[in-house]
Amino acid sequence: MIISELKESFENQISGIYANSEISELFSIFCTQILGINKFELRRSEDHIISEEQNSVFIKIITELKAGKPYQQILGETEFYGLKFFVDENVLIPRPETEELLELAITEIHKNKVTDLKILDIGTGSGIIPIVLKKKFPEAKVSAIDFSEKALKTAKKNADFHEADINFIHQNYLEEYLLEVYDIIISNPPYIGIDEEKEIADSVKEFEPKMALFSPTSNALIFYEKIAEDCNNHLTEKGMVFLEINQKLGEETKALFTNVLSEVHLIKDISGNDRFVFGRK
């Protein structure tokens, strides 16, 4: 089989799942990984013959794509904040909104002109948040909590890849106490209510960890209530909190922090949805 035939087969089989522009991009991504041919070389390589082994790999990929498996999991990696991160079925695939959360945090931290901070990320997943913050603020002492040992394994792999010194903590945050005081608390915790599960795409529910998506109880704000409580004794004076939130519960989430912090802001994402809460003690 030659590449032009492979491309036609690839496009035909997943045409009902992805838009044409996405299919073209996916094909080039997998060709780069499997054939070692980038998107620019592809145009000149349509008559290139692929091996049976390479064709078998593409057949497996097509089968997984048709089943709804995210292409990032098939690749085993994704790009976030301009950096490469490893992902698998044990961690959430990073979303653009979390890049916005980091932009907000980095901007506000820079305003304070303090670099030797103590930062805590709650529910770290693949470790994207603490790793980006450590790279931006090398002098900061960065810690990250997660309940999933498998997620922490992926997070440590990412930290090693980026040579980022992160203190990873295996902890059930809702059931245990924090032991230190931090200048920055940041979190993108599970915030989808159980009653919202039917609204979530099957490709997300079936392939990404439900523990990282859905609140463990009928109370979708349970993590935010605990974080607000911890701000009393585990956030320094003038310390800051940065949270990604459920867009349907913006005002409710903000209200949890109004009596705890000196200032609290509800901030919209680029799509105009209530997506972040930023506060200062």
Side-chain angles (χ1 to χ4, degrees):
M1 179 180 284
I2 61 175
I3 286 180
S4 61
E5 294 172 330
L6 176 67
K7 183 179 181 182
E8 184 178 359
S9 174
F10 186 89
E11 291 174 345
N12 288 340
Q13 292 194 64
I14 65 169
S15 61
I17 304 171
Y18 294 93
N20 290 338
S21 59
E22 292 176 312
I23 293 171
S24 179
E25 185 64 23
L26 285 174
F27 185 72
S28 68
I29 287 172
F30 286 115
C31 281
T32 300
Q33 185 183 59
I34 298 160
L35 307 180
I37 300 173
N38 64 40
K39 65 165 62 177
F40 304 107
E41 295 168 333
L42 266 179
R43 299 169 188 165
R44 304 190 302 270
S45 306
E46 290 193 342
D47 294 329
H48 179 89
I49 298 173
I50 66 169
S51 69
E52 280 193 32
E53 183 180 350
Q54 290 169 333
N55 186 44
S56 295
V57 174
F58 268 96
I59 289 172
K60 183 174 183 292
I61 288 169
I62 291 168
T63 301
E64 290 178 320
L65 288 172
K66 288 169 71 175
K69 187 172 185 177
Y71 77 89
Q72 298 96 328
Q73 285 185 8
I74 298 173
L75 283 168
E77 62 186 57
T78 191
E79 183 178 301
F80 178 83
Y81 212 84
L83 301 171
K84 171 182 167 181
F85 286 94
F86 301 107
V87 293
D88 53 34
E89 69 278 4
N90 300 304
V91 297
L92 285 185
I93 296 166
R95 268 65 172 182
E97 293 84 358
T98 308
E99 290 186 331
E100 293 184 60
L101 174 69
L102 276 165
E103 279 292 334
L104 172 64
I106 290 165
T107 299
E108 293 297 330
I109 293 170
H110 273 308
K111 285 181 184 178
N112 280 13
K113 298 180 181 178
V114 179
T115 54
D116 56 338
L117 301 163
K118 287 181 69 175
I119 300 173
L120 175 66
D121 175 37
I122 298 168
T124 196
S126 60
I128 54 171
I129 289 176
I131 291 168
V132 170
L133 289 177
K134 182 65 176 179
K135 292 182 78 68
K136 288 289 182 181
F137 305 100
E139 296 176 21
K141 181 182 177 184
V142 184
S143 298
I145 290 172
D146 206 284
F147 182 50
S148 168
E149 289 185 272
K150 290 180 178 179
L152 286 175
K153 185 177 179 180
T154 302
K156 289 173 183 176
K157 181 180 178 181
N158 282 319
D160 290 343
F161 179 77
H162 289 289
E163 299 181 335
D165 182 17
I166 311 293
N167 174 34
F168 289 107
I169 304 166
H170 179 227
Q171 183 187 95
N172 182 350
Y173 174 70
L174 293 177
E175 300 294 332
E176 299 180 45
Y177 297 103
L178 295 180
L179 300 177
E180 298 187 51
V181 178
Y182 300 92
D183 302 292
I184 306 292
I185 293 177
I186 187 167
S187 184
N188 176 22
Y191 58 65
I192 302 174
I194 293 172
D195 59 333
E196 296 179 78
E197 183 171 354
K198 61 181 180 297
E199 300 174 26
I200 306 303
D202 289 341
S203 60
V204 174
K205 289 186 289 189
E206 292 177 12
F207 292 99
E208 297 191 63
K210 289 189 177 182
M211 180 192 297
L213 287 166
F214 299 100
S215 170
T217 72
S218 58
N219 177 11
L221 294 177
I222 189 168
F223 275 93
Y224 302 95
E225 290 172 355
K226 175 74 157 53
I227 292 170
E229 181 183 317
D230 281 337
C231 284
N232 283 312
N233 299 315
H234 297 281
L235 186 67
T236 59
E237 287 303 314
K238 298 188 178 180
M240 294 182 285
V241 175
F242 301 92
L243 305 168
E244 187 171 331
I245 67 168
N246 186 324
Q247 68 186 50
K248 297 179 180 180
L249 299 171
E251 291 295 340
E252 293 89 336
T253 309
K254 177 184 177 183
L256 295 173
F257 294 85
T258 53
N259 294 325
V260 178
L261 305 176
S262 62
E263 61 174 290
V264 187
H265 306 276
L266 178 60
I267 300 172
K268 296 184 183 298
D269 61 22
I270 197 169
S271 300
N273 299 312
D274 290 338
R275 184 63 66 191
F276 314 106
V277 164
F278 158 56
R280 193 188 315 268
K281 195 167 182 182

